[in-house]
Amino acid sequence: MSITVNRQARHEYFVLETYECGIELFGTEIKSIRNGSVNLKESWADIQNGEVFVYGMHISPYEKGNIFNRDPFRVRKLLLHKKEINKLLGKIKQDGLTLIPLSLYYKGQRVKLELGLCKGKKLYDKREDIAKRDAKRNMDRAMKDFNRR
């Protein structure tokens, strides 16, 4: 079950690979996520000292959390295997790729983050995607009208 999806990421980047990773959260953050108060829109991830961290992810403070609430934009640690981290580090340094959080979802009782290894799109790539989407929409409309008759 998906909690939130970063729709802007698929528009701005080509997603080459995806990784499922855990995320280090506190109790009030989990309660706030269960209420659906999370935003991935301007977030990104980076590797520092052999660990992966997510930046810019906004989790609204839990309204009943009082003193236990954390900073909504605090840096959160992502949980990946050491081999995966080393593989990502090599690709980021060599190819100039970035790590972008794509979605946040439940897997059992745990909250997981889908992390994408992405390459930025150029303006003409974005226009091409928009044109394809519009063409598909027009074809679907035409098929719907044709099937009504």
Side-chain angles (χ1 to χ4, degrees):
M1 183 175 137
S2 182
I3 300 168
T4 186
V5 177
N6 188 354
R7 295 181 200 282
Q8 184 180 4
R10 300 233 184 234
H11 178 71
E12 297 286 331
Y13 300 95
F14 291 114
V15 180
L16 306 176
E17 293 180 31
T18 60
Y19 295 90
E20 177 183 78
C21 54
I23 183 167
E24 190 176 70
L25 297 169
F26 290 97
T28 54
E29 290 176 326
I30 290 290
K31 289 180 180 185
S32 186
I33 286 173
R34 291 199 188 280
N35 287 340
S37 304
V38 62
N39 188 358
L40 296 175
K41 195 170 188 179
E42 296 292 326
S43 59
W44 76 98
D46 194 20
I47 301 173
Q48 293 179 350
N49 300 327
E51 295 179 333
V52 183
F53 296 95
V54 66
Y55 298 89
M57 184 171 130
H58 183 269
I59 298 177
S60 298
Y62 184 58
E63 62 264 2
K64 298 175 185 168
N66 58 40
I67 62 169
F68 300 107
N69 280 332
R70 305 288 172 142
D71 179 29
F73 286 104
R74 79 177 182 85
V75 178
R76 294 169 180 88
K77 184 177 175 182
L78 298 179
L79 309 172
L80 286 162
H81 291 282
K82 192 59 118 181
K83 283 184 179 179
E84 290 176 321
I85 294 173
N86 290 336
K87 182 180 173 184
L88 286 172
L89 184 62
K91 288 188 177 186
I92 289 172
K93 295 290 184 195
Q94 184 181 24
D95 300 334
L97 304 175
T98 57
L99 294 172
I100 305 292
L102 301 175
S103 67
L104 199 65
Y105 58 93
Y106 297 116
K107 187 170 184 181
Q109 290 292 315
R110 311 244 186 240
V111 174
K112 299 288 183 175
L113 184 89
E114 184 181 23
L115 192 64
L117 185 63
C118 302
K119 183 176 182 174
K121 286 185 180 179
K122 304 288 185 208
L123 184 60
Y124 56 85
D125 292 326
K126 293 178 193 176
R127 287 181 184 152
E128 185 178 313
D129 285 348
I130 291 169
K132 284 180 184 176
R133 190 173 60 228
D134 288 343
K136 184 180 182 317
R137 187 181 305 130
N138 290 336
M139 287 190 318
D140 290 343
R141 282 185 189 150
M143 289 299 292
K144 187 177 178 181
D145 290 340
F146 180 76
N147 289 334
R148 284 185 183 169
R149 295 178 192 178

